[in-house]
Amino acid sequence: FATKHKPKFSIFSNTMMEEKNGFQGVLVGLGKAVLEINATVDQDVLDKYDLKLDSSEIVAREKEIPLFEELIKDYKSQLVAAGSTQTSIRVAQWMLRKKGQTAFLGCTGDDDNGDLLEKCADDAGVTTFHLKTDKEPTGTYAYLVKDNERVVVKNPGASEVYNPEEMTTEALCEIVRQARYYYINGDMVDVSLEAVVTLGRHALEQKKIVVTNFSAPWLVKKHNSELASAFGYSKYILGHEDEMEELRKRLNFGDNLKEAVQKLSDLPGRWGGKRTIVITRGNKSTLVGIEGGDVLEVEVEPLSEDEIIDMNGAGDAFAGGFLSQLVRERPILDCVKAGHWAARAMIKTSGTKLPEKCSFRPAFGPLLPP
């Protein structure tokens, strides 16, 4: 389950940085950098941009481009550092509590929204290193809410641009060398497979840990070989049952989901060992294939209908909760339970903005390893 794709270059040295003034965290995410704008609006705004409250997601056309600036300037909008990977990293940072334990690598436009995005991430305790482009604006997603209904307008912009040849900046290299864990959402292979494989190769050479996520069923269909390249470096693969089912059918991995999880966990990675597969199934138990062992089921604590506010970002929150305990070297079941807790916390809030204080209380050890 690993192609022979190799990066054209290697940008990271084989020795760790001794510099004490730089990034001192443990976890780095590579993904799409998005500024999320949450705003409660009146009907005039919806009419002005011909938007309907039907929970749909639309890609911004030329006439909707001014909407983003209007929401920031004229409304008390809630701004969040978002995008799937960045959301997961932000959740992990929130649960780790100690500022600077995580970092995020992405690309933004050379504009005001890029500055706002970096500030949002910094306020959340996440160190960012964004490549800048003057060819695209910073990626922005606007969530317009009226009377508990919403519509989402997306302008991906620079979030879908990443030039791996610009990954040679010393500050970026220092961040990557310092970290011990790397998280990459599958949608990044649609942006720059070269960047994904370069990071994976560094992890392989330095015996570090890569965690990846299927991201979406359409990625399994469209980019099966590219995902295989990324997964070749991944000791942990996260996903949802819809994505795993698509992979099962494409690779003829048995007759059911459990069997598919088992087969995927049994496939050796580039380091020669096997991997752990974690597949969520909504309010049903989460499946865990542990390095060739039996597939376990971890029950999900149900939420009442009154507690369910917004399902957006629940999967990303699960990944963040999982990562927060993985980097503490906790047992896999503790990582999964932390993922469940984070997903519930996200579902209980509107958008992907988290409460200022995290109430997660692990029943074991200190918050961070000494």
Side-chain angles (χ1 to χ4, degrees):
F1 194 63
T3 69
K4 295 182 179 180
H5 181 94
K6 294 183 178 180
K8 298 176 183 177
F9 52 87
S10 179
I11 62 174
F12 311 117
S13 72
N14 291 329
T15 58
M16 295 292 287
M17 287 291 291
E18 297 295 334
E19 176 64 50
K20 295 183 179 181
N21 295 322
F23 176 66
Q24 294 294 301
V26 293
L27 172 65
V28 168
L30 171 68
K32 297 181 179 182
V34 173
L35 178 65
E36 180 182 300
I37 307 168
N38 296 280
T40 299
V41 301
D42 51 36
Q43 189 62 42
D44 289 345
V45 173
L46 300 173
D47 293 340
K48 178 179 179 179
Y49 293 100
D50 193 25
L51 299 173
K52 299 186 183 301
L53 294 168
D54 55 5
S55 297
S56 63
E57 295 186 0
I58 66 171
V59 177
R61 298 157 293 187
E62 185 176 354
K63 71 176 184 178
E64 283 111 16
I65 295 300
L67 169 65
F68 303 101
E69 184 176 357
E70 181 176 338
L71 293 176
I72 292 173
K73 288 186 175 181
D74 300 340
Y75 285 80
K76 293 181 179 179
S77 299
Q78 186 182 73
L79 304 181
V80 183
S84 291
T85 302
Q86 191 163 216
T87 297
S88 297
I89 294 298
R90 184 163 47 83
V91 170
Q93 175 61 56
W94 181 59
M95 294 176 67
L96 287 168
R97 293 178 173 84
K98 185 179 178 181
K99 185 174 181 178
Q101 288 300 299
T102 63
F104 175 77
L105 312 178
C107 182
T108 68
D110 189 10
D111 53 28
D112 291 343
N113 283 347
D115 295 338
L116 287 173
L117 176 53
E118 290 182 4
K119 183 181 184 305
C120 289
D122 183 69
D123 289 345
V126 178
T127 300
T128 58
F129 191 95
H130 293 148
L131 302 184
K132 299 284 187 179
T133 177
D134 57 5
K135 296 180 180 179
E136 294 285 350
T138 295
T140 46
Y141 292 0
Y143 290 75
L144 287 76
V145 179
K146 180 179 180 293
D147 300 329
N148 293 323
E149 293 186 275
R150 77 176 185 186
V151 62
V152 183
V153 183
K154 296 184 174 183
N155 183 25
S159 72
E160 297 188 342
V161 177
Y162 202 90
N163 182 1
E165 294 183 5
E166 296 184 32
M167 295 174 72
T168 55
T169 304
E170 179 57 32
L172 184 152
C173 292
E174 180 185 340
I175 288 173
V176 172
R177 287 190 293 251
Q178 172 65 29
R180 303 195 308 270
Y181 294 82
Y182 307 103
Y183 178 64
I184 309 170
N185 200 289
D187 61 0
M188 197 59 187
V189 303
D190 195 38
V191 176
S192 176
L193 178 61
E194 196 74 29
V196 172
V197 173
T198 297
L199 196 58
R201 186 179 180 184
H202 167 74
L204 179 65
E205 292 171 349
Q206 296 300 305
K207 296 180 173 57
K208 298 179 181 181
I209 306 296
V210 175
V211 183
T212 51
N213 196 313
F214 280 115
S215 184
W218 70 266
L219 273 163
V220 179
K221 292 180 181 180
K222 183 181 177 182
H223 294 294
N224 189 50
S225 63
E226 291 89 343
L227 284 173
S229 292
F231 291 165
Y233 298 98
S234 307
K235 290 191 176 181
Y236 297 86
I237 300 176
L238 313 181
H240 184 266
E241 61 180 333
D242 293 342
E243 301 147 5
M244 192 67 212
E245 178 61 21
E246 182 62 35
L247 186 72
R248 183 192 69 79
K249 292 186 292 186
R250 289 186 67 85
L251 299 183
N252 194 26
F253 267 10
D255 299 323
N256 56 66
L257 207 60
K258 270 193 170 184
E259 191 172 345
V261 169
Q262 182 72 74
K263 287 182 176 293
L264 183 56
S265 67
D266 283 343
L267 290 178
R270 287 180 177 270
W271 63 93
K274 298 180 180 179
R275 53 174 58 84
T276 298
I277 313 300
V278 181
I279 302 299
T280 59
R281 302 189 295 164
N283 60 4
K284 296 181 291 184
S285 59
T286 295
L287 302 181
V288 183
I290 305 178
E291 300 180 352
D294 294 333
V295 175
L296 307 177
E297 293 193 37
V298 185
E299 293 301 319
V300 175
E301 183 180 335
L303 289 171
S304 68
E305 290 187 9
D306 293 341
E307 292 178 297
I308 300 175
I309 305 298
D310 189 351
M311 296 297 293
N312 181 53
D316 298 330
F318 174 87
F322 180 92
L323 290 165
S324 76
Q325 301 309 297
L326 183 68
V327 301
R328 297 183 62 233
E329 301 180 356
R330 299 305 308 167
I332 186 68
L333 294 185
D334 290 340
C335 298
V336 173
K337 290 175 182 178
H340 289 168
W341 183 92
R344 288 196 300 273
M346 184 68 78
I347 291 169
K348 292 178 182 180
T349 188
S350 179
T352 64
K353 181 74 172 179
L354 295 162
E356 182 177 350
K357 294 184 178 181
C358 177
S359 61
F360 179 69
R361 290 291 184 270
F364 39 76
L367 289 175
L368 288 171

